[in-house]
Amino acid sequence: MKKNNLWMLAAILLCGLATVFISCSKDDDDSGKKEGDTPTPTTTKVADRVEVKYYVSVADDMLSLFDIDINYEGPGYGKQTKKMEKTSWIIGDNLDNLSGKNAFFSLAVTVTPKAGVTIDPNKEYLLGMGSELAYLIQTDKKETLVSYGTRPTVVVNKQPGSQLTEENLKKMAKLYTNAGAATTLDVYKDYYLEDGVKYYYDKDRQITD
């Protein structure tokens, strides 16, 4: 009877030890873990193609008073200069499959007074200009990463001919040139530069290196 009691005591002790070991093991596995600690997988978005539209629009009387030169650059054109002959000008450019290289685009408008123009002092001239380098950046599956810009709206100013002196025309030409100042877009796989400012595709923030 005593022998049986010893066996029973030993069995109870073994079961107790097993329970302790299992409990400790479980506590060790759960230590340091908190709800919400599981990292959320992130996907880095990569650009593969770029599509650009160059827009320049002017009011009706701009072409009779000023020479307007459009200076633009892109993978499909290289550096080009186009003299504006109509009140609206648009051209497109694009690059598919960046393949580790970058795509650079730029647009600048230069305005100078025409020589020998006769100004009618009794006429009211319609003046104004707008320019835009609009762009679309996509992945290789044509998922849009960035979309910016559209055809510009021209704010028309009415100027009496009596105020359009040679000096005033020069000042206006300078202002219009600055209004159409150089806009640049430099596109890489992981980020892009707009007028020298760096942005990433998968972060809604501006990078200042």
Side-chain angles (χ1 to χ4, degrees), residues 22-186:
I22 292 170
S23 177
C24 289
S25 177
K26 187 175 186 302
D27 288 344
D28 289 342
D29 289 342
D30 289 342
S31 64
K33 288 188 177 181
K34 296 180 182 177
E35 187 177 351
D37 277 355
T38 305
T40 303
T42 58
T43 302
T44 301
K45 296 178 181 179
V46 176
D48 188 73
R49 68 182 305 271
V50 193
E51 184 177 329
V52 161
K53 289 285 191 302
Y54 307 92
Y55 293 105
V56 183
S57 298
V58 298
D60 291 345
D61 293 314
M62 288 289 291
L63 296 177
S64 64
L65 300 178
F66 302 99
D67 287 321
I68 301 174
D69 291 326
I70 305 166
N71 309 290
Y72 60 102
E73 181 178 355
Y77 299 105
K79 291 184 178 181
Q80 299 282 336
T81 298
K82 171 77 174 178
K83 188 171 292 294
M84 196 162 188
E85 298 175 347
K86 298 180 180 180
T87 56
S88 183
W89 178 85
I90 177 176
I91 196 169
D93 199 2
N94 64 76
L95 181 66
D96 292 313
N97 187 16
L98 285 172
S99 299
K101 56 181 179 288
N102 69 304
F104 180 77
F105 306 85
S106 69
L107 173 65
V109 182
T110 304
V111 181
T112 53
K114 282 183 178 291
V117 173
T118 300
I119 304 293
D120 183 351
N122 299 314
K123 177 180 176 179
E124 196 168 54
Y125 288 82
L126 303 179
L127 305 178
M129 186 184 75
S131 63
E132 186 77 81
L133 193 161
Y135 55 87
L136 175 70
I137 305 175
Q138 296 181 319
T139 67
D140 58 347
K141 296 180 180 178
K142 294 192 175 181
E143 174 193 359
T144 297
L145 298 175
V146 185
S147 179
Y148 175 81
T150 185
R151 185 188 298 271
T153 300
V154 178
V155 178
V156 178
N157 297 307
K158 297 179 180 180
Q159 293 289 336
S162 58
Q163 295 181 7
L164 295 179
T165 63
E166 183 178 349
E167 182 180 355
N168 283 340
L169 286 172
K170 287 180 180 179
K171 289 179 180 178
M172 293 172 67
K174 190 173 183 179
L175 289 173
Y176 285 127
T177 294
N178 290 336
T183 300
T184 61
L185 176 69
D186 206 352

